Amino acid sequence: MPSITVDNLTKKFGEVTALDRVNLRIQKGELFFLLGPSGCGKTTLLRHIAGFYTPEEGRILFDEDDVTKVPPHKRNTGMMFQSYALWPHLTVARNVAFGLEERRVPRAEIKKRVARALADVRMEAYADRKIAQLSGGQQQRIALARALVIRPRCLLLDEPLSNLDAKLRLEMRSEIRRICKEFGLTAIYVTHDQKEALSISDRMAILESGRVAQVGTPEEVYHRPHTRVVADFIGETNFLAGTVSGEENGRFRIETEHGTFRGVPGNREWHPAGGTKVLLSMRPEAWRIAHHTQESPAPENSLTGRVEEKTYLGEVAQYQVRAGEAVLKLFELNPRPGEGYVGERVRASVSPDDVVVVPA
Ligand code: ATP
């Protein structure tokens, strides 16, 4: 399996710059996700890697081979898209064999490889069924077998699970990871589903208006988002506006309408000077909530507010807290029945490690 390099890729559709000097390096055997708000360029980038689009500028390399001008069928990529485009009236085996017949692989070899691919996706018992007689999840497995049977150089997946119900999605996403890892496949996966990305990716790129906003492991991107869009897109968060008033040991002091907060920049390379306007991103689960009884000024990294609403979700309770102009969403893990805080004054505090500073 090759590594994939996207080098300074730019694509325009008329006035729209869909990709703007995109640089990425995807390692051999890596399960790599492309994420970002609608229209950010995920599908356009995947189509360049598959060979359906030619860029205005830049290159795509599979290992050291420049494939920018190589047509799709000569790139030998396995593809699995949202509409799995199987032929409903043909059998499972014929559907999987198609790519090999096209490549004029000998019949005996086709038979062996189809059987193997069906076994890989645990569908060997279904070879003679018609596609129309399979469930959605089973069809998805066949689409995966069809992508794998050609022994692709890499696997490209565009929203492969979006037609499935929630339970099947969960099952299929671990199945996709299992197969990628078993075969050491280099795979690029486009999705809107951040849970899918957080749970099975090795690394991900978040795109923002055709540019790469951040590349990192799920933990890096979730805990240390570099920008507002990344913080907002991956997981839920609360933003507070503030102004930098100092720095000690990599921790910044920020003045907000709720007093002083200490926090760390999402991007370690970024050193905002004193006076810079910034945003603080703080996840709902990072807060500790307590009844606010005595009137004392809020200590650093805390604020006082009134609980407007509680939503009980079983493992967590979600509180809507109004603090001045701000409305925050806070989670309480393992909530006690009856202790609702609703309508009451609370003090919520957050550790400096959970306060991420991003550009305003
Ligand atoms: P979504 O999550 O909604 O699928 P995406 O991140 O995959 O979005 P792309 O489909 O790559 O986004 O589109 C990127 C930008 O390029 C958008 O502004 C889109 O409108 C534009 N675009 C994509 N394909 C074409 C096309 N064939 N002609 C003109 N504009 C296009």
Side-chain angles (χ1 to χ4, degrees), residues 138-195:
Q138 290 168 335
Q139 292 186 25
Q140 209 80 43
R141 283 172 192 269
I142 302 309
L144 187 55
R146 189 184 53 180
L148 293 172
V149 79
I150 61 162
R151 296 188 184 142
R153 294 182 78 180
C154 58
L155 189 61
L156 306 178
L157 307 119
D158 193 353
E159 297 276 359
L161 307 182
S162 59
N163 290 337
L164 300 183
D165 67 44
K167 189 162 174 288
L168 262 179
R169 286 180 78 117
L170 280 181
E171 185 188 313
M172 276 306 288
R173 79 187 187 198
S174 356
E175 199 58 9
I176 287 177
R177 178 159 175 103
R178 174 186 71 80
I179 286 170
C180 286
K181 292 301 150 187
E182 206 169 298
F183 295 94
L185 280 168
T186 308
I188 305 181
Y189 194 129
V190 167
T191 185
H192 282 108
D193 185 336
Q194 33 149 327
K195 287 265 158 58

Side-chain angles (χ1 to χ4, degrees), residues 217-256:
T217 64
E219 282 93 346
E220 285 163 356
V221 172
Y222 189 82
H223 284 290
R224 291 291 176 260
H226 289 187
T227 67
R228 181 200 173 108
V229 169
V230 174
D232 211 16
F233 190 78
I234 303 289
E236 293 184 89
T237 198
N238 298 289
F239 291 112
L240 271 189
T243 307
V244 174
S245 65
E247 181 193 354
E248 286 151 39
N249 306 323
R251 279 192 182 166
F252 285 76
R253 203 171 63 236
I254 316 291
E255 306 308 327
T256 77

Side-chain angles (χ1 to χ4, degrees), residues 13 16-18 36-45 53 159 190 192:
F13 294 110
V16 179
T17 304
S38 184
C40 68
K42 305 178 288 290
T43 298
T44 303
L45 177 54
Y53 288 150
E159 297 276 359
V190 167
H192 282 108

